[in-house]
Amino acid sequence: MSDPSTPSPVSTYRVQVTGAFDLHSVAELTDYLADLGADWVYLSPLLEAEPGSDHGYDVISHDRVDPARGGDEGLVEAAGAAHAKGLGVLIDIVPNHMGVATPARNAWWWDVLTHGRSSRYADAFDIDWDFGGGKLRIPVLGSADALTDLRIRGDRVVYFDNEYPIAPGTADDGADARTVHARQHYELIDWRRADFDLNYRRFFAVNTLAGIRVEVPEVFDASHRTILGWVRDGLADGLRIDHPDGLADPKGYLDALAEATGGRYVLVEKILEGDEALQDDWATAGTTGYDALGDFDRVLIDPAGEGPLTVLAARLDGPIDWKALIHTTKREVADGILHSEVLRLVRTAGLADVDQERLADAFAELLTCFPVYRSYLPHGVEALDAAVADAKRRRPDLADELEAASRLLRDPSTAVALRFQQTSGMVMAKGVEDSAFYRFTRLASLTEVGGDPDVFAESPERFHERQAARQAAWPAAMTTLTTHDTKRGEDVRARIDVLSEAPKEWADALATLERINGFGDPAFADLLWQSTVGAWPIERDRLQAYAEKASKEAGVSTSWTDPDEEFGKRLAAAVDAVYDDETVAELIERIATRLNPAGWSNGLSMKLLQLAAPGVPDVYQGSELWEQSLVDPDNRRPVDFAKRRELLAQIDAGALPDIDETGAAKLLVVAKTLRLRRDRPELFTDYVPLTATGHAADHLVAFDRGGAIALATRLPVGLAERGGWGDTTLDVGSAPVLDVLTGRDYPGGVLRVADVLEHYPVALLIEVGGLQ
């Protein structure tokens, strides 16, 4: 854990810094963020990235802030403006990999391509030189015989738009391009060979993101010199670490970072599975909050919907056994796009007396059966033991090979144990988040990063247990509802959650859609139309892009590597029908309109729970209004901050907005709660669950944070069917209280919930006079 004396944010506001919204724009935004109540501004990666990158995770140089994002002077301006408004600055950094899509733009990669093993940067990248015969394999050719398309242009080998260096002394005799290529320290290969013949570690299966070795002190120093300068110069108050699970030694890295930064506030983008706990010996304040996201969703889901929606998924031929599904998808990944990593494990193991093909099968099965993203030996050996036991049960024919592999993997000093730990998270991410999540469709809001779709709903009691545990163990960890990586924005999920209260209505609507607008994949249609009504209204081009990406990630009717053009045409026509066919359009509109009131209620409840609960709540850019984005790049669209400024000014002038499509009511909840947390932090230092009494008590989630009491409605459809709150009451203590959201006073004691939640489905209560 991090030093508790380290300054930490009360809340954050995430901004995607791009060429179109650069650091100068961030500087101009800081007054709005301060007015909103945010405590720190949280910036996406800033180091120089591939030209045109809209995310910044493809860093090409560690030497400077990306000029396209405002450059070094832009960071000085943005940090200065933030600090002048009382805001801290949290910056996202990327220690695991670099962008190599355009080799000439990455000086480290270019030097390795030029000089091979003798390059000063050869140790910076994770390359298996021996396997490549002393060459670095680059999977870029369109076919095996595409070497005929190589050309020499000046001092470069050129393949269409791709340029590569020529090593000194290798093109002096006027040789043709193929001959010159054969003399280089790299080998251009068919892109399909990346699956099984690659010899450098990547970020997951992205060929243009090459893993770097920050465990090497010189590489750490070179890749963090500018970042540490930001900290030293007072530009950065904290850091967010992207993908620590890809590193050889996450704990060692965090220790080195803490020493270099003087123990500044650090968060890690770590995905925890179920009740898995974050390592308490890591120098971090906690995770970036995906583990919290699922709690806020599931406490708003009706457990009674699980049975009917499971039956519906089965009827559509969709998978209903989550564990069986992810075993299938993870194994597909281990045998497919990440098989190069499996084969590298075999080579690293050095078990020459074991059949290498069978050993590869064993490693692939162990990766498939691994129950969490990774271990950190000796921590997490129980996960390895569970994987070995599961693999032996499934594959008794591999018992000897599994035993031989597991002996090495249990020893943290072996190179193969280290590499296996770096690899297991890749297989989990690609097999689950980027595949199974698009096939398991019974309730689409459950298939979210960090979530277990097998857990359908969470009781208020379980919710309270998890929040109390967060308060006790990780009070400065981040919580989130929407990020640049979530599959659906928070208010898309809030509306989809309503389907758990209306499963028959959804089944009937889906049957009609299949009859009048089917495209040959009923299970995927369930996912697509849930996402459509959740994001409605949504522009045609956005929905078309989502449908294409989601269907190819699912990999059932089509895929990225083997696209089915006829299916793609049918799918595109079905999406077009949502806009062009009057019957389809009317049905989608009717369902979305039916979901709106309960979806808006869920959206407000979800937001208040997140903002008021333990942890450091992050507000993703623009999500102070309804956040109805789908998967990236949809969730990185420009934000209309002028509109948000205008609505916030109206609220500050005394307006009490209605709950409608504008989202102004959500903005009120966000601003009032963030401001209270910032201005009265002593009201948020504890966690005590509160229990209502009365006939609708189970529709309320309430807790006392140590002076601030949050009330949120759950299952609003069922609440309406019961006739409302009726005799439901809540004891808020003897002192008179004020609802910060509405400005209304209450006498204290036992309050009628119907009175407190008369205007909004949420309330935030403090003692009268607490704002003075």
Side-chain angles (χ1 to χ4, degrees):
M1 300 182 69
S2 62
D3 184 345
S5 65
T6 300
S8 60
V10 173
S11 65
T12 60
Y13 188 101
R14 169 78 176 208
V15 178
Q16 295 295 115
V17 184
T18 66
F21 195 90
D22 63 12
L23 287 161
H24 302 292
S25 301
V26 173
E28 296 173 356
L29 185 67
T30 54
D31 62 328
Y32 166 73
L33 299 183
D35 288 345
L36 184 66
D39 192 39
W40 286 24
V41 59
Y42 167 25
L43 304 176
S44 60
L46 300 180
L47 290 174
E48 187 171 5
E50 282 282 350
S53 171
D54 69 346
H55 51 77
Y57 291 96
D58 44 0
V59 173
I60 59 174
S61 171
H62 295 104
D63 296 335
R64 60 179 180 173
V65 175
D66 195 339
R69 287 171 164 76
D72 293 329
E73 68 281 4
L75 178 57
V76 171
E77 180 185 353
H83 291 145
K85 300 294 191 304
L87 301 171
V89 178
L90 178 68
I91 302 179
D92 197 345
I93 66 171
V94 190
N96 177 70
H97 53 267
M98 295 187 76
V100 297
T102 313
R105 292 187 176 274
N106 186 323
W108 291 16
W109 191 248
W110 190 259
D111 198 77
V112 171
L113 294 175
T114 303
H115 301 290
R117 276 177 155 158
S118 63
S119 167
R120 60 183 294 199
Y121 298 109
D123 287 341
F125 296 97
D126 193 352
I127 302 168
D128 185 350
W129 291 102
D130 289 341
F131 179 61
K135 295 177 182 287
L136 173 57
R137 291 176 175 168
I138 308 298
V140 69
L141 300 180
S143 64
D145 58 2
L147 289 174
T148 57
D149 294 318
L150 297 183
R151 299 289 184 270
I152 300 296
R153 185 183 301 153
D155 60 352
R156 299 185 178 187
V157 172
V158 178
Y159 176 67
F160 295 104
D161 294 332
N162 304 283
E163 298 184 353
Y164 303 92
I166 295 175
T170 60
D172 298 338
D173 56 0
D176 64 22
R178 295 183 65 174
T179 301
V180 171
H181 167 257
R183 297 170 177 171
Q184 303 310 306
H185 297 287
Y186 56 86
E187 178 188 4
L188 305 184
I189 63 174
D190 188 329
W191 66 269
R192 298 166 187 83
R193 289 175 61 188
D195 288 358
F196 58 88
D197 230 5
L198 212 58
N199 66 332
Y200 65 92
R201 179 172 60 85
R202 302 160 290 174
F203 171 70
F204 298 158
V206 184
N207 298 333
T208 55
L209 295 176
I212 62 173
R213 302 174 63 225
V214 291
E215 67 272 19
V216 177
E218 294 79 11
V219 178
F220 177 91
D221 292 342
S223 60
H224 286 69
R225 186 172 296 113
T226 298
I227 294 166
L228 296 177
W230 299 340
V231 175
R232 182 188 62 247
D233 296 341
L235 301 175
D237 301 293
L239 300 171
R240 180 262 198 194
I241 312 304
D242 182 65
H243 191 48
D245 277 354
L247 306 181
D249 180 11
K251 181 184 184 303
Y253 170 78
L254 291 170
D255 287 343
L257 190 65
E259 181 178 359
T261 63
R264 293 299 178 94
Y265 182 77
V266 166
L267 293 171
V268 290
E269 186 215 21
K270 166 63 187 170
I271 308 297
L272 299 171
E273 289 290 306
D275 291 327
E276 180 188 6
L278 184 64
Q279 298 295 120
D280 60 9
D281 59 349
W282 282 11
T284 178
T287 74
T288 53
Y290 289 117
D291 44 305
L293 182 153
D295 293 327
F296 302 126
D297 260 317
R298 281 165 176 75
V299 77
L300 302 179
I301 292 173
D302 188 352
E306 180 173 9
L309 290 175
T310 302
V311 170
L312 173 62
R315 194 176 78 220
L316 299 172
D317 291 327
I320 58 174
D321 185 331
W322 173 247
K323 290 181 175 58
L325 172 62
I326 63 173
H327 185 273
T328 297
T329 55
K330 290 176 69 177
R331 186 65 206 232
E332 288 173 355
V333 166
D335 291 339
I337 58 175
L338 288 177
H339 200 57
S340 283
E341 306 299 331
V342 173
L343 295 177
R344 190 166 182 183
L345 290 173
V346 173
R347 297 193 299 273
T348 306
L351 295 172
D353 57 338
V354 178
D355 182 278
Q356 301 295 281
E357 186 173 337
R358 289 177 61 82
L359 185 60
D361 196 358
F363 273 120
E365 190 64 25
L366 287 170
L367 290 166
T368 299
C369 294
F370 211 78
V372 295
Y373 274 71
R374 66 165 286 176
S375 58
Y376 312 91
L377 294 177
H379 296 288
V381 69
E382 66 280 358
L384 176 59
D385 290 341
V388 172
D390 190 23
K392 287 182 176 179
R393 179 182 62 81
R394 293 174 181 273
R395 296 294 305 278
D397 58 307
L398 291 175
D400 291 344
E401 290 80 8
L402 289 167
E403 186 59 35
S406 65
R407 280 197 298 269
L408 290 175
L409 296 181
R410 284 191 179 91
D411 182 353
S413 68
T414 65
V416 70
L418 184 151
R419 186 163 298 281
F420 183 91
Q421 293 178 98
Q422 290 179 279
T423 306
S424 61
M426 300 183 195
V427 175
M428 177 73 85
K430 296 306 295 181
V432 177
E433 293 176 27
D434 294 342
S435 182
F437 273 7
Y438 292 91
R439 298 186 193 180
F440 197 76
T441 64
R442 65 177 179 177
L443 192 65
S445 55
L446 298 176
T447 50
E448 193 49 83
V449 180
D452 180 354
D454 220 16
V455 179
F456 189 84
E458 188 172 286
S459 69
E461 293 76 18
R462 176 62 173 156
F463 174 84
H464 290 312
E465 289 174 5
R466 288 180 60 83
Q467 302 317 304
R470 176 175 291 273
Q471 175 65 25
W474 300 99
M478 182 175 282
T479 67
T480 190
L481 291 181
T482 302
T483 76
H484 61 285
D485 274 336
T486 43
K487 304 302 182 186
R488 294 164 194 83
E490 60 205 59
D491 294 301
V492 178
R493 301 196 310 275
R495 294 170 80 177
I496 292 173
D497 288 347
V498 180
L499 299 179
S500 70
E501 295 196 77
K504 184 181 185 305
E505 186 174 340
W506 176 246
D508 292 344
L510 193 61
T512 302
L513 281 167
E514 185 63 22
R515 176 173 54 80
I516 65 176
N517 198 32
F519 49 84
D521 189 339
F524 179 72
D526 193 6
L527 179 82
L528 175 61
W529 302 134
Q530 285 185 58
S531 300
T532 300
V533 297
W536 196 259
I538 180 172
E539 297 84 356
R540 184 194 304 252
D541 60 333
R542 291 174 54 208
L543 189 56
Q544 285 285 11
Y546 173 76
E548 180 185 13
K549 178 171 182 174
S551 64
K552 290 181 176 178
E553 295 281 37
V556 175
S557 294
T558 187
S559 69
W560 294 111
T561 56
D562 187 20
D564 185 321
E565 293 185 5
E566 288 306 312
F567 175 81
K569 291 176 182 178
R570 295 196 306 272
L571 177 60
V575 172
D576 281 338
V578 172
Y579 304 91
D580 300 334
D581 184 295
E582 184 176 343
T583 303
V584 176
E586 188 279 332
L587 179 56
I588 293 291
E589 181 69 35
R590 178 171 60 79
I591 299 168
T593 301
R594 168 78 170 86
L595 294 179
N596 275 341
W600 289 336
S601 175
N602 282 346
L604 296 180
S605 290
M606 193 185 298
K607 200 65 188 176
L608 179 68
L609 291 175
Q610 184 232 352
L611 295 178
V616 176
D618 177 57
V619 177
Y620 184 71
Q621 62 173 25
S623 67
E624 59 269 38
L625 297 184
W626 302 131
E627 169 44 64
Q628 293 176 234
S629 296
L630 296 173
V631 73
D632 66 275
D634 194 58
N635 53 22
R636 299 169 187 166
R637 289 171 295 130
V639 175
D640 185 350
F641 285 111
K643 176 182 178 181
R644 286 157 176 78
R645 288 178 185 270
E646 180 182 354
L647 289 173
L648 184 59
Q650 293 172 11
I651 289 169
D652 287 342
L656 201 60
D658 294 330
I659 304 174
D660 59 20
E661 66 279 354
T662 68
K666 185 181 181 186
L667 179 60
L668 172 102
V669 171
V670 172
K672 297 291 188 180
T673 309
L674 288 182
R675 291 170 181 175
L676 185 66
R677 289 201 68 155
R678 178 192 62 193
D679 300 339
R680 297 292 309 280
E682 73 278 7
L683 300 179
F684 295 86
T685 56
D686 198 1
Y687 189 87
V688 178
L690 299 180
T691 302
T693 59
H695 86 289
D698 58 339
H699 288 274
L700 187 71
V701 182
F703 51 79
D704 184 346
R705 290 299 319 283
I709 297 175
L711 287 73
T713 301
R714 63 187 293 268
L715 314 185
V717 174
L719 178 64
E721 291 173 349
R722 285 186 171 187
W725 293 107
D727 64 354
T728 308
T729 60
L730 183 71
D731 189 341
V732 298
S734 59
V737 293
L738 166 74
D739 182 3
V740 174
L741 305 182
T742 63
R744 290 183 58 182
D745 291 347
Y746 301 93
V750 177
L751 302 181
R752 294 182 69 249
V753 174
D755 292 339
V756 180
L757 301 185
E758 179 182 12
H759 197 86
Y760 293 127
V762 293
L764 184 60
L765 308 178
I766 62 172
E767 284 192 18
V768 170
L771 290 180
Q772 297 175 356

